[in-house]
């Protein structure tokens, strides 16, 4: 099984979980690590912390472990997930 841990900043943890559900994942735990099982893949929201850049600029940082049956499936899962987490400024 291939896996990778990534960090996402500035996105609500509940939203990150919803994105896994939109990709076909089912939440199987209610505490850290929040585990989502999909067809041929698994994701775990491992932790959440706050990062301070200045006294007033604070964002959350969430670590997620992605796992899939093959490296190709892992890369496809991450690609789809990154598409959902893309934020465009304006």
């Amino acid at each position: 099984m291939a896996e990778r841990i990534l960090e996402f900043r500035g996105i609500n943890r509940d939203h990150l979980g919803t994105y896994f559900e939109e990709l076909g994942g089912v939440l199987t735990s209610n505490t850290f690590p929040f585990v989502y099982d999909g067809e041929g893949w698994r994701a775990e929201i491992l932790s959440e912390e706050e990062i301070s850049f200045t006294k007033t600029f604070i964002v959350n940082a969430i670590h997620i472990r992605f796992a899939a049956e093959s490296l190709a499936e892992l890369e496809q899962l991450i690609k789809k997930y990154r598409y959902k987490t893309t934020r465009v400024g304006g």
Side-chain angles (χ1 to χ4, degrees), residues 6-8 11-13 16 45 47-48 60-64:
L6 298 176
E7 179 181 271
F8 292 85
I11 303 174
N12 181 289
R13 182 184 52 77
L16 293 172
I45 299 177
S47 64
E48 179 176 21
N60 69 327
I62 297 177
H63 294 91
I64 300 176

Side-chain angles (χ1 to χ4, degrees), residues 85-90:
T85 62
T86 300
R87 302 292 184 264
V88 180

Side-chain angles (χ1 to χ4, degrees), residues 36-84:
Y36 293 85
D37 287 315
E39 190 174 323
W41 61 268
R42 169 179 267 211
E44 301 172 8
I45 299 177
L46 301 172
S47 64
E48 179 176 21
E49 62 184 308
E50 288 186 342
I51 298 175
S52 300
F53 293 98
T54 67
K55 288 183 180 181
T56 58
F57 186 52
I58 302 169
V59 299
N60 69 327
I62 297 177
H63 294 91
I64 300 176
R65 177 183 294 125
F66 295 83
E69 294 176 359
S70 71
L71 184 57
E73 290 171 315
L74 177 65
E75 290 173 353
Q76 189 66 12
L77 171 63
I78 291 173
K79 179 180 178 180
K80 289 177 183 177
Y81 196 77
R82 284 189 185 272
Y83 180 77
K84 293 189 170 292

